[in-house]
Amino acid sequence: MRASPVVRGWIRLAYSGGVLLARLRVGPTAVTLAGLVLCLAVPVAVRLGPVGLLLGAVLVLLAGLADAFDGAVAVVTGKAGRAGFVIDSVADRIGEAAWLVAFWLAGVPGWLAVAAGGVSWLHEYLRARAATAGMPDIGVVTVAERPTRVSVAVTGLLAGGAAGLVRDDWGAPVVTIAAAVWLTLGVVGFAQLVRAVRRALS
């Protein structure tokens, strides 16, 4: 199953970080919860204006790294389990919702933020239901996987913050473009996943 360079790089980074944290005796659940706290801090940071957008980008990046590391720690330490998988999945969805709330606070239209989040949630819901129905693996690595969403959020907040520092009213349009990219990739990724699920379950 082929993956994009972003996803492949993300997996390599996750493994390296997981090995390091495992050596430091940090548990996977602790990493997951740390990532969730970072996510929930993003909307708070964004309210500080352009500088807050830049801070929000850093927080999303750190949260994304935590999300990558927790699974790797679980595998490396042999602590991977169903409960941890559920906790991680719930934390991911709450975290992404927090990022999109930050987008909205930065000036993105509410309908666009909700649509982007809805498509991402539907993507993950379809995969989960297909696995329950008998799909043997993830089906396909789409253009809208978690690493891509992290990249879009970081880039959007970073570019929006930089634009806002130049001119106050430039930040919101830039972050709105990022939200539109998130939604577009989500729709394309969902279509890719639908085709894969139909093939796997037919």
Side-chain angles (χ1 to χ4, degrees), residues 26-180:
V26 178
T29 301
V31 180
T32 299
L33 295 178
L36 179 57
V37 170
L38 290 168
C39 289
L40 296 176
V42 177
V44 178
V46 164
R47 296 184 68 86
L48 300 175
V51 174
L53 291 177
L54 298 176
L55 176 58
V58 174
L59 292 172
V60 171
L61 178 59
L62 292 175
L65 289 174
D67 178 55
F69 293 162
D70 61 3
V73 170
V75 172
V76 171
T77 60
K79 295 180 179 179
R82 289 177 292 183
F85 176 76
V86 171
I87 292 171
D88 182 57
S89 297
V90 172
D92 287 350
R93 304 291 79 75
I94 295 173
E96 290 180 6
W99 302 347
L100 291 167
V101 168
F103 274 24
W104 173 66
L105 292 172
V108 172
W111 68 266
L112 179 55
V114 170
V119 168
S120 295
W121 282 49
L122 190 59
H123 186 285
E124 300 300 337
Y125 178 77
L126 173 60
R127 178 170 282 153
R129 295 302 298 170
T132 301
M135 188 170 70
D137 52 31
I138 65 172
V140 64
V141 178
T142 73
V143 298
E145 300 296 341
R146 172 79 169 178
T148 302
R149 298 194 290 269
V150 172
S151 298
V152 170
V154 170
T155 302
L157 292 172
L158 191 62
L165 289 174
V166 175
R167 181 171 165 175
D168 287 342
D169 59 348
W170 283 4
V174 172
V175 181
T176 299
I177 291 172

